[in-house]
Amino acid sequence: MDAAESMAEDQPSPPENVGGLTGREVEILAFERQWWRHAGAKENAIRERFSLSSTRYYQLLNTLLEKPEAMAADPMLVKRLRKTRAARQRKRGARRLGIELS
């Protein structure tokens, strides 16, 4: 059994619309909350669970992180993901300038 199958069995179907978020957006937040608990690569789990490429998934996730509804639904998760995203952006920018950040 792969990571996506084990997650699908553990998860009930989310409601279609929660606090202004679509069912898919609620699923994405739920996935980000617990994907690391399951074996396997995250990209494979994304492909299996959402039928999306990892690039498209991250585009949707980044859009979702900017929604006030997402912040209201799970503020700690959204803040953590925003912080991680900002750190990666800083490192990418520094790399382009030839600066080494730790």
Side-chain angles (χ1 to χ4, degrees), residues 29-99:
L29 288 176
F31 179 76
E32 284 298 319
R33 197 175 305 114
Q34 67 176 3
W35 73 266
W36 51 271
R37 294 182 186 173
H38 303 281
K42 185 175 183 181
E43 287 73 21
N44 292 336
I46 289 168
R47 195 172 305 109
E48 291 292 322
R49 183 161 179 184
F50 298 105
S51 299
L52 297 171
S53 69
S54 57
T55 301
R56 181 64 184 141
Y57 172 83
Y58 286 113
Q59 289 170 343
L60 293 172
L61 176 62
N62 281 320
T63 301
L64 177 59
L65 292 179
E66 297 307 317
K67 289 188 171 189
E69 297 89 349
M71 179 64 87
D74 195 339
M76 290 185 67
L77 174 68
V78 171
K79 287 178 186 177
R80 179 176 57 82
L81 293 173
R82 284 180 178 177
K83 185 176 178 180
T84 301
R85 179 180 64 183
R88 287 183 180 143
Q89 287 172 339
R90 279 192 303 276
K91 282 186 177 183
R92 235 185 342 265
R95 230 182 4 252
R96 288 183 186 136
L97 295 173
I99 302 168

Side-chain angles (χ1 to χ4, degrees), residues 9-30:
E9 290 174 2
D10 295 341
Q11 291 290 319
S13 296
E16 277 305 306
N17 196 326
V18 174
L21 298 175
T22 65
R24 176 176 264 183
E25 291 171 335
V26 172
E27 277 191 66
I28 289 173
L29 288 176

